[in-house]
Amino acid sequence: MLIGRGWPEGEAQHLLTAIARATDAALRCYEDARLRLERAAQEHAVIGYLHGCEDMAIAFIALHRAMRLADALVASLETTVDESHLPPENGRSRLRRMRNAIDHRDKPIKRGDAGIGKTLALNVREHDSTIDDDEGTLTLTHVELGDSIRRLHSLVVDLTNHPEQWTRVAR
């Protein structure tokens, strides 16, 4: 509840609170997934791997939500946040498509695409995560995912700690 207090009341104050929550959720889910997947690999535990993949899928969804809110901060007339503060558009575009594939995977399953060589659930591998959508296989490396989370987290921390540097509204 303290996050937005340094900001003038308005749209940007609520965007800051929302992006802080979404970024924190992405960070926590990513860390949970990473730890669960590491433990599953050490123990050769298939169910642990499946749980880790689902945790990672939730991290993708939370990060996508944070990215949408970051885009809203860029569009807001109340902030000085611009595209340079966000992860690169190429990665954001792949993240968007991957999130859509994760969130709407029931559609290809219902139309009979399961079991014919398509990855319809997020597949977490050693260096990346993949999933198929209608246009083909989507891949995001763990380095790219981690960098996106770190970049948004850094932005949120800076927005929270130095609101005077980010607001356009006169105090």
Side-chain angles (χ1 to χ4, degrees):
M1 297 307 295
L2 298 174
I3 291 173
R5 289 204 179 149
W7 282 73
E9 286 196 32
E11 167 194 295
Q13 183 183 57
H14 300 292
L15 286 171
L16 174 59
T17 302
I19 192 174
R21 291 176 70 167
T23 302
D24 180 65
L27 183 60
R28 282 183 296 111
C29 291
Y30 177 75
E31 182 64 12
D32 289 348
R34 195 185 64 73
L35 292 173
R36 193 178 297 232
L37 289 163
E38 186 176 290
R39 190 174 334 115
Q42 291 169 351
E43 298 172 2
H44 304 285
V46 173
I47 196 71
Y49 170 76
L50 295 176
H51 288 170
C53 287
E54 285 305 307
D55 288 345
M56 189 68 79
I58 294 167
F60 272 82
I61 291 168
L63 181 59
H64 177 261
R65 183 181 330 114
M67 292 286 192
R68 287 192 338 245
L69 292 163
D71 286 337
L73 277 172
V74 169
S76 173
L77 299 177
E78 297 177 12
T79 76
T80 60
V81 178
D82 63 38
E83 289 283 327
S84 70
H85 300 106
L86 306 184
E89 176 56 39
N90 179 28
R92 293 186 352 238
S93 177
R94 273 183 292 135
L95 173 68
R96 185 179 313 110
R97 284 183 57 203
M98 290 181 82
R99 176 261 175 210
N100 288 342
I102 291 165
D103 206 31
H104 303 291
R105 65 182 161 199
D106 57 315
K107 291 176 186 174
I109 292 170
K110 288 178 186 177
R111 73 174 177 246
D113 289 348
I116 59 170
K118 291 186 176 184
T119 304
L120 301 180
L122 189 68
N123 181 23
V124 182
R125 302 183 301 189
E126 186 175 356
H127 300 290
D128 57 29
S129 295
T130 65
I131 191 167
D132 286 326
D133 70 0
D134 290 337
E135 297 176 34
T137 301
L138 302 164
T139 302
L140 195 68
T141 69
H142 299 312
V143 169
E144 291 172 306
L145 181 62
D147 286 347
S148 291
I149 293 171
R150 270 191 294 282
R151 194 162 188 164
L152 283 184
H153 180 264
S154 177
L155 175 62
V156 168
V157 168
D158 205 37
L159 289 167
T160 303
N161 291 338
H162 307 286
E164 69 284 354
Q165 295 175 9
W166 296 95
T167 55
R168 286 195 179 130
V169 178
R171 291 192 170 257

